[in-house]
């Protein structure tokens, strides 16, 4: 204990207490007079051991130097002296007097009425809390890591979050490199990583203390790809590559001639040292013995070198980040698989039809269940489909493929749109129930076991009648653009989404002028902004463009990099058949009319230049008309349509389905439908509210399918 004299007004017991306080207490104690000069102090206080008393007694804190911000200390003491209000546990940090290490102290200041010569002063208690604050900082860093790193299923974002946690808390600069295979979502591989393995610089962050030219040295050089990341390989025999090779962290506490990585032996180390880096750590990002990348921490502005304790902390932080990156890579792998499946299940191209011009737009984001289709139907009609399965992922893509296949099958049965959606609703409910029974845990993909599974809009365009019929199962209403460019919403009764198993739907019918455009889309197309619907209508008014150009313009106007859902657009421009491309006759239900029907067909066939297939066509007509008269009900009609194919249709009033059977060698009949099938490109039956139509399509001479 050192003092400037006895305290007036103190008894023996008080003196004993003061003696114990100044000599045996765990705190550094300073008694300061009204001029903030030291009157008494504890010589055991950190930073004052070995300093002569005459250098302290009678001097201010700033004169003998404590290593802390003495100006701040003096201001705090002066405030307590002036107001009499104590200051409790105020934290200060600064370099120790005889060390490069930083110390953290907790300062409490109390007003003293008689500090010296009857004048007031202050009593300052200083506690060294360096270790406690360091432990608290480590816990805060770990807490920040668990709270903020790995918040998304995006590896690049996780890498940036990792860098943000480490700078400036543990590093002046941080670089995060990830294996290119990890970012592509490839399955992780256990074992060593070769030094030449391609890496992506996923993140780099430097603090304010980093020198201006330091980033170029630390950040290295590489090739910037289309995503803005840098593809590079790290130099051989560096702490970074060694950590990648054996999955072991590296600590370079001193980047100098006495360290494990001397600058005179490495150009990379020499460049870092020249830029001010004096200590670094390389920590591999490891999950289940598989190395995903490496995070490198650099220290330049902070004078303290890295220690083993720092490395242990960095390992814990990197471990958490590695889990987030691995989850993101697994998600990318599943997403890539789902998107590949989705692309495979979507039509690679739409058919080239003369009755409609089509163009489509597909904007994939998250491997959802959006789909479209253009289906060639009998009678030169065209089915137009846009649908959207609820959710994302492989299961949803598979559900989309099954629903698309089911819809095509139903469409080729020539069902009306409302009837088709009713059947599709039942199929969707059954598929969802099967999925739920197979694995109840699959509900995370958003596909419910029952109820809303998908939405769908189905339209059929008849170019002979120039008529559009459509129905909607919970899907956004289509838009219809007139040849003059006027855009209107199609008024259709929107039924329940697919999957209820008891949905009922209504069909709307519209007449379409040549050049009118039907616009079908999924809701993801308009999710980007409140102005998206207006923008879509504005682009659609330009009827002077080809539909492919219109689709491009919509993509440019509505594509959103921040979108969370896929989007599909299908445009179809109507082109009705001319009057001379279709002929129709009503026939009496009499067997004698068969020969007349063949004769009637000969004239348009000759006018169309189809003499080469006249014989086959007349034979088909004979068989179909004969069956309609013999097994059906009147009236009977015959229609020929010349488009991409020659279509022959015979309609009667019976709903009895024609049945093709195998005739025995001794039978004289029973081969009619077999002959029709043999001479047709396609054939089938469609039903109306009353009666049926049996149709046959023949390929035109010189045309290959």
């Amino acid at each position: 204990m050192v003092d400037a004299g006895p305290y007036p007004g103190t008894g023996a017991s008080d003196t004993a207490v003061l003696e114990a306080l100044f000599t045996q207490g765990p705190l550094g104690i300073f008694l300061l007079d009204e001029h903030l000069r030291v009157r008494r102090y504890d010589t055991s206080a950190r930073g004052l051991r070995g300093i002569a008393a005459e250098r302290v007694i009678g001097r201010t804190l700033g004169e003998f130097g404590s290593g802390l911000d003495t100006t701040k200390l003096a201001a705090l003491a002066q405030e307590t002296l002036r107001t009499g209000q104590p200051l409790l546990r105020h934290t200060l940090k600064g370099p120790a007097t005889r060390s490069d290490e930083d110390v953290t102290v907790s300062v409490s200041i109390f007003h003293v009425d008689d500090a010296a010569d009857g004048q007031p002063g202050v009593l300052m208690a200083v506690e060294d809390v360096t270790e406690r604050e360091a432990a608290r900082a480590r816990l805060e860093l770990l807490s920040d890591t668990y709270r903020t790193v790995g918040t998304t299923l995006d590896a690049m974002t996780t890498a940036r979050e990792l860098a943000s946690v480490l700078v400036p808390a543990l590093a002046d600069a941080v670089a995060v490199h990830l294996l290119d295979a990890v970012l592509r979502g490839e399955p992780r591989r256990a074992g060593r990583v070769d030094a030449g393995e391609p890496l992506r610089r996923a993140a780099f962050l430097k603090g304010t203390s980093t020198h201006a030219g330091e980033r170029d040295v630390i950040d290295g050089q590489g090739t910037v790809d289309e995503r803005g990341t840098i593809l590079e390989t790290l130099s051989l025999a560096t702490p970074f590559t060694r950590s990648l090779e054996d999955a072991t962290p590296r600590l370079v506490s001193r980047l100098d001639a006495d360290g494990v990585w001397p600058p005179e032996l490495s150009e990379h180390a020499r460049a870092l040292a020249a830029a001010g880096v004096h200590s670094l750590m390389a920590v591999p990002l490891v999950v289940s013995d598989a190395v995903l990348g490496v995070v490198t921490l650099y220290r330049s502005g902070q004078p303290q070198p890295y220690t083993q304790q720092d490395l242990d902390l960095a390992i814990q932080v990197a471990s958490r980040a590695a889990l987030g990156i691995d989850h993101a890579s697994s998600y990318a792998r599943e997403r890539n698989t789902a998107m590949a499946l989705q692309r495979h299940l979507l039509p690679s191209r739409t058919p080239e039809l003369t009755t409609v011009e089509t163009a489509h737009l597909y904007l994939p984001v998250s491997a959802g269940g959006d789909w479209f289709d253009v289906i060639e139907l009998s009678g030169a009609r065209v089915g137009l489909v846009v649908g959207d399965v609820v959710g994302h992922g492989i299961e949803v893509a598979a559900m989309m493929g099954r629903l698309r296949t089911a819809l095509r099958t139903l469409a080729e049965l020539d069902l009306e749109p409302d009837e088709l959606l009713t059947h599709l609703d039942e199929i969707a409910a059954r598929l969802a129930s099967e999925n739920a029974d197979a694995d109840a845990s699959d509900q995370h993909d958003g596909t419910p076991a029952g109820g809303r599974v998908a939405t769908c809009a189905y339209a059929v365009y008849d170019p002979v009648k120039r008529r559009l019929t459509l129905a909607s199962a919970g899907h956004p209403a289509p838009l219809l653009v007139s040849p003059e460019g006027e855009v209107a919403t199609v008024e259709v009764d929107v039924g329940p989404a697919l999957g209820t198993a008891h949905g009922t739907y209504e069909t709307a019918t519209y007449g379409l002028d040549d050049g009118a455009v039907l616009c079908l889309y999924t809701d993801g197309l308009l999710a980007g902004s409140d102005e998206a619907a207006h923008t879509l209508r504005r682009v659609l008014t330009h009827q002077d463009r080809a539909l492919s150009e219109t689709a491009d313009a919509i993509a440019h106007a509505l594509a959103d990099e921040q979108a969370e859902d896929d989007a599909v657009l299908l445009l179809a421009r109507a082109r009705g058949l001319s009057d001379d491309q279709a002929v129709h006759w009503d026939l009496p239900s009499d067997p004698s009319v068969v020969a007349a029907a063949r004769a009637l067909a000969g004239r348009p066939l000759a006018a169309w230049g189809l003499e080469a297939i006249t014989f086959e066509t007349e034979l088909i007509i004979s068989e179909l008309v004969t069956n309609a008269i013999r097994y059906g009900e009147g009236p009977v009609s015959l229609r020929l349509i010349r488009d991409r194919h020659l279509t022959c249709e015979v309609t009667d009033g019976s709903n009895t389905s024609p049945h093709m059977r195998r005739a025995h060698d001794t039978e004289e009949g029973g081969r009619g439908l077999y002959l029709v099938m043999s001479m047709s490109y396609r054939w089938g039956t469609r039903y109306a509210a009353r009666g049926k139509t049996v149709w046959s399509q023949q390929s035109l001479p010189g045309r290959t399918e």
Side-chain angles (χ1 to χ4, degrees):
M1 178 192 69
V2 177
D3 60 25
Y7 284 92
T10 59
S13 60
D14 294 334
T15 302
V17 170
L18 289 175
E19 286 292 331
L21 182 64
F22 276 92
T23 59
Q24 302 175 24
L27 307 179
I29 304 297
F30 298 86
L31 180 65
L32 308 179
D33 63 16
E34 61 179 329
H35 302 293
L36 301 184
R37 293 188 297 252
V38 178
R39 303 297 296 178
R40 191 175 187 184
Y41 73 100
D42 183 359
T43 58
S44 65
R46 179 173 177 175
L48 297 180
R49 300 184 186 97
I51 298 181
E54 57 268 19
R55 291 184 53 191
V56 179
I57 295 298
R59 299 179 183 272
T60 64
L61 295 175
E63 290 177 325
F64 62 84
S66 66
L68 298 172
D69 186 350
T70 54
T71 302
K72 177 67 174 177
L73 275 176
L76 295 173
Q78 189 65 49
E79 181 68 13
T80 297
L81 185 63
R82 183 181 66 83
T83 63
Q85 296 296 321
L87 175 71
L88 301 178
R89 294 183 293 277
H90 183 84
T91 302
L92 288 175
K93 184 177 182 180
T97 304
R98 297 185 177 182
S99 172
D100 290 334
E101 297 181 3
D102 280 348
V103 295
T104 304
V105 298
S106 176
V107 179
S108 297
I109 305 176
F110 306 91
H111 186 274
V112 177
D113 291 333
D114 186 5
D117 302 327
Q119 298 299 317
V122 295
L123 183 69
M124 182 181 295
V126 181
E127 180 184 6
D128 187 347
V129 293
T130 302
E131 290 300 324
R132 188 183 72 190
E133 287 299 306
R136 185 185 61 81
R138 289 192 293 269
L139 290 176
E140 285 186 355
L141 179 58
L142 290 175
S143 175
D144 289 344
T145 300
Y146 279 85
R147 189 179 69 255
T148 63
V149 177
T151 60
T152 68
L153 288 174
D154 181 79
M156 299 294 291
T157 300
T158 302
R160 290 192 291 269
E161 292 170 343
L162 172 60
S164 297
V165 163
L166 294 174
V167 176
L170 194 58
D172 295 315
V174 166
V176 182
H177 288 82
L178 301 180
L179 295 178
D180 189 49
V182 170
L183 290 176
R184 293 200 306 269
E186 295 182 4
R188 59 174 181 250
R189 294 180 290 112
R192 60 174 290 156
V193 176
D194 294 333
E197 187 82 16
L199 295 160
R200 296 273 177 189
R201 192 182 317 151
F204 177 82
L205 184 64
K206 64 185 182 68
T208 55
S209 62
T210 308
H211 300 305
E214 191 173 328
R215 170 167 182 159
D216 295 335
V217 178
I218 297 175
D219 207 13
Q221 298 296 323
T223 304
V224 180
D225 69 356
E226 66 280 359
R227 296 179 295 174
T229 60
I230 299 179
L231 181 66
E232 61 182 334
T233 55
L234 298 179
S235 305
L236 296 173
T238 66
F240 331 112
T241 52
R242 293 289 295 146
S243 292
L244 286 170
E245 288 173 358
D246 60 13
T248 302
R250 293 296 191 280
L251 168 63
V252 181
S253 58
R254 301 192 314 277
L255 191 61
D256 56 26
D258 297 327
V260 297
W261 194 31
E264 62 265 22
L265 299 181
S266 169
E267 182 179 351
H268 197 164
R270 187 161 53 252
L272 290 173
V277 175
H278 63 82
S279 188
L280 62 91
M281 297 185 291
V283 183
L285 300 165
V286 183
V287 173
S288 300
D289 296 326
V291 179
L292 310 180
V294 61
V295 54
T296 310
L297 297 82
Y298 302 92
R299 185 161 280 179
S300 56
Q302 302 179 52
Q304 298 78 25
Y306 283 124
T307 64
Q308 183 61 44
Q309 193 174 50
D310 294 325
L311 183 62
D312 293 340
L313 178 59
I315 291 171
Q316 294 184 64
V317 173
S319 177
R320 168 65 179 181
L323 286 176
I325 291 168
D326 184 57
H327 291 161
S329 183
S330 298
Y331 172 75
R333 179 164 61 254
E334 179 176 337
R335 178 177 178 272
N336 293 341
T337 302
M339 294 187 69
L341 176 62
Q342 185 183 35
R343 285 193 298 269
H344 178 73
L345 294 174
L346 288 174
S348 57
R349 61 183 181 86
T350 56
E352 295 182 5
L353 306 174
T354 58
T355 54
V356 291
E357 174 196 357
T358 61
H360 66 273
L361 174 65
Y362 171 49
L363 299 174
V365 173
S366 55
D370 299 41
W371 92 91
F372 68 95
D373 217 338
V374 178
I375 307 171
E376 191 173 6
L377 303 174
S378 65
R381 297 170 307 129
V382 182
L384 304 167
V385 187
V386 165
D388 185 3
V389 178
V390 176
H392 304 92
I394 295 176
E395 295 86 354
V396 169
M399 174 71 80
M400 178 271 289
R402 299 175 76 178
L403 287 179
R404 177 177 176 247
T405 300
L407 189 148
R408 286 190 69 93
T409 301
L410 294 171
E412 291 178 358
L413 294 176
D414 284 305
L415 301 179
E416 289 296 316
D418 57 341
E419 186 180 2
L420 181 146
L421 289 182
T422 299
H423 287 296
L424 194 62
D425 173 49
E426 297 173 353
I427 293 172
R430 187 166 60 252
L431 291 177
S433 179
E434 291 174 358
N435 288 348
D437 292 340
D439 187 358
S441 65
D442 283 348
Q443 294 306 307
H444 71 273
D445 65 4
T447 304
R452 188 174 185 271
V453 172
T455 65
C456 181
Y458 177 60
V460 175
Y461 172 60
D462 187 338
V464 177
K465 298 179 180 180
R466 290 179 168 80
R467 186 176 65 189
L468 179 76
T469 57
L470 72 155
S472 173
H475 203 76
L479 299 176
L480 190 60
V481 188
S482 70
E484 295 75 29
E486 298 178 356
V487 182
T489 301
V490 175
E491 297 295 334
V492 58
D493 184 12
V494 178
L498 301 175
T500 64
H502 50 74
T504 57
Y505 306 94
E506 297 292 334
T507 296
T509 302
Y510 286 83
L512 287 192
D513 296 329
D514 287 356
V517 173
L518 179 68
C519 173
L520 298 161
Y521 58 91
T522 58
D523 53 9
L525 187 70
L526 303 183
S529 69
D530 296 337
E531 298 297 321
H534 174 73
T535 301
L536 176 61
R537 287 173 172 264
R538 175 177 53 79
V539 176
L540 287 173
T541 59
H542 294 275
Q543 280 282 51
D544 55 330
R545 297 170 175 160
L547 285 190
S548 59
E549 295 178 348
T550 300
D552 288 344
I554 293 173
H556 300 328
L558 297 180
D560 181 11
E561 293 183 357
Q562 305 302 319
E564 298 180 354
D565 196 7
D566 296 0
V568 158
L569 168 78
L570 178 62
L571 302 175
R573 175 172 284 146
R575 295 172 176 169
L577 296 178
S578 61
D579 294 339
D580 61 356
Q581 288 183 273
V583 291
H584 175 271
W585 299 278
D586 292 322
L587 305 174
S589 184
D590 189 299
S592 63
V593 80
V594 175
R598 290 198 302 268
L600 289 172
R603 288 190 293 272
L605 291 175
W608 292 336
L610 301 179
E611 293 87 350
I613 59 172
T614 297
F615 175 77
E616 292 87 348
T617 304
E618 290 180 348
L619 185 56
I620 291 171
I621 291 173
S622 293
E623 296 298 336
L624 295 183
V625 172
T626 298
N627 283 349
I629 295 172
R630 181 176 298 174
Y631 304 110
E633 299 176 3
V636 176
S637 64
L638 169 65
R639 184 168 73 163
L640 295 180
I641 302 172
R642 184 191 184 280
D643 184 33
R644 298 173 63 245
H645 306 92
L646 175 64
T647 302
C648 173
E649 298 180 341
V650 175
T651 303
D652 67 78
S654 170
N655 287 322
T656 303
S657 175
H659 175 65
M660 184 174 62
R661 66 183 181 86
R662 180 179 179 181
H664 297 290
D665 294 342
T666 58
E667 292 184 291
E668 295 183 2
R671 298 176 177 83
L673 287 179
Y674 178 77
L675 291 174
V676 172
M677 180 192 71
S678 301
M679 292 181 289
S680 302
Y681 166 64
R682 294 170 61 211
W683 78 282
T685 305
R686 67 175 183 268
Y687 296 88
R690 180 181 181 277
K692 68 178 179 296
T693 298
V694 184
W695 54 270
S696 164
Q697 280 186 350
Q698 294 169 265
S699 298
L700 301 182
R703 181 181 179 88
T704 58
E705 300 302 334

